[in-house]
Amino acid sequence: MAERTRAHFSEELRRVEEQGLGGLDLVVTQLDRVMEALEHQDVELAAMVIGNDDLIDGRYLEVHQGLLSLFALQAPVAGDLRIVAAMLHVMKNIERMGDQCVNIAKTIPLTGHEPPVREEVLERILRMGRAARTEVTQAKTAFATRDVALAEDLVRQDQCINLLNREIFQLAIDVGTDPDTREWAMHMVMVSRAIERIGDNAVDVGEQTAFVVTGLFREFSDSSHPVPRI
């Protein structure tokens, strides 16, 4: 009886984990849409991103409740307990990524119908978006396969995003004196910061991967250290 109960618990935990990691697929979809909306100044698509945030919030609540219910039904052993604890953190990061996509979407109507786009800024923003997308998908694979090396590699990719973020900030400062252009550039700084936070959240998922495997939590990088040029 005890063995059947344990097997049922493990099966349910795997199901809830899969459901939770599926939230990262929702983030990728949101990120793809908001980057397209930004590139083409598509206000309607941006509105869709804002509306669809309920899907991520709903997934967060559903998985969160599922994990707590499993915890209440049976005291997990050490390995299972690590998965439950890690997934609670992962779901919070997923919810935050969704919020950052919404923050980006909300800037799009503010820039006007035909904003004074500076291509050197927009090109870096789109590169950041593609890099963040790669990070999110890699974070999911790393956690699902318990691949610590793949999780640690997220730091290298995140450094590229951080560097682009700093370049965009400098370009915004140097953009000139035209008020409309400066306003657009400031909005792009906000977008850049939101993408940078998505990358940080992906690294956080990677750190939870290492925690599940080793039982020890450690930060992969120290944000107080300068970012190396790549």
Side-chain angles (χ1 to χ4, degrees):
M1 182 67 177
E3 289 182 2
R4 286 201 301 271
T5 301
R6 170 58 58 184
H8 177 71
F9 176 87
S10 298
E11 181 181 339
E12 282 297 298
L13 183 57
R14 282 194 296 271
R15 183 189 65 78
V16 174
E17 179 183 332
E18 280 186 19
Q19 185 182 27
L21 293 180
L24 290 168
D25 296 329
L26 297 177
V27 169
V28 168
T29 298
Q30 287 283 81
L31 187 56
D32 285 345
R33 285 175 176 168
V34 82
M35 287 293 103
E36 181 180 350
L38 186 69
E39 182 178 10
H40 301 291
Q41 197 59 27
D42 191 330
V43 176
E44 291 184 1
L45 187 56
M48 183 184 298
V49 170
I50 295 170
N52 285 344
D53 188 52
D54 288 345
L55 296 175
I56 294 178
D57 291 342
R59 182 68 62 95
Y60 167 79
L61 292 172
E62 190 176 355
V63 172
H64 193 271
Q65 185 58 49
L67 290 167
L68 293 181
S69 296
L70 281 173
F71 190 81
L73 287 173
Q74 182 174 330
V77 297
D80 291 340
L81 182 59
R82 288 202 298 270
I83 295 172
V84 171
M87 281 304 303
L88 289 171
H89 283 284
V90 167
M91 293 313 299
K92 188 60 180 175
N93 281 293
I94 289 172
E95 191 264 343
R96 287 171 177 168
M97 291 183 203
D99 287 346
Q100 294 300 340
C101 290
V102 169
N103 290 340
I104 297 169
K106 287 180 177 178
T107 67
I108 293 172
L110 301 178
T111 58
H113 180 63
E114 294 183 357
V117 174
R118 290 295 183 91
E119 289 300 327
E120 67 273 20
V121 175
L122 182 60
E123 184 269 338
R124 285 171 172 81
I125 290 282
L126 297 176
R127 281 168 58 192
M128 284 186 75
R130 290 191 294 270
R133 186 190 199 280
T134 299
E135 274 199 76
V136 173
T137 56
Q138 182 169 320
K140 178 187 176 183
T141 300
F143 195 100
T145 60
R146 307 294 192 260
D147 190 331
V148 176
L150 190 63
E152 290 176 335
D153 182 64
L154 291 165
V155 175
R156 175 186 59 81
Q157 297 186 56
D158 201 48
Q159 289 173 347
C160 297
I161 290 181
N162 293 342
L163 180 58
L164 286 167
N165 182 47
R166 295 181 183 190
E167 288 179 2
I168 289 167
F169 181 78
Q170 188 59 52
L171 287 169
I173 292 175
D174 299 336
V175 79
T177 58
D178 176 66
D180 290 339
T181 304
R182 290 185 67 84
E183 182 179 4
W184 176 84
M186 289 304 102
H187 284 133
M188 291 306 101
V189 169
M190 295 168 59
V191 169
S192 175
R193 175 58 177 162
I195 299 172
E196 189 261 345
R197 287 301 303 145
I198 292 173
D200 288 346
N201 289 138
V203 173
D204 288 345
V205 174
E207 290 171 348
Q208 293 302 319
T209 302
F211 168 69
V212 168
V213 173
T214 67
L216 299 173
F217 177 78
R218 61 184 175 87
E219 293 186 352
F220 286 167
S221 63
D222 185 348
S223 59
S224 65
H225 292 167
V227 177
R229 297 192 67 84
I230 299 173

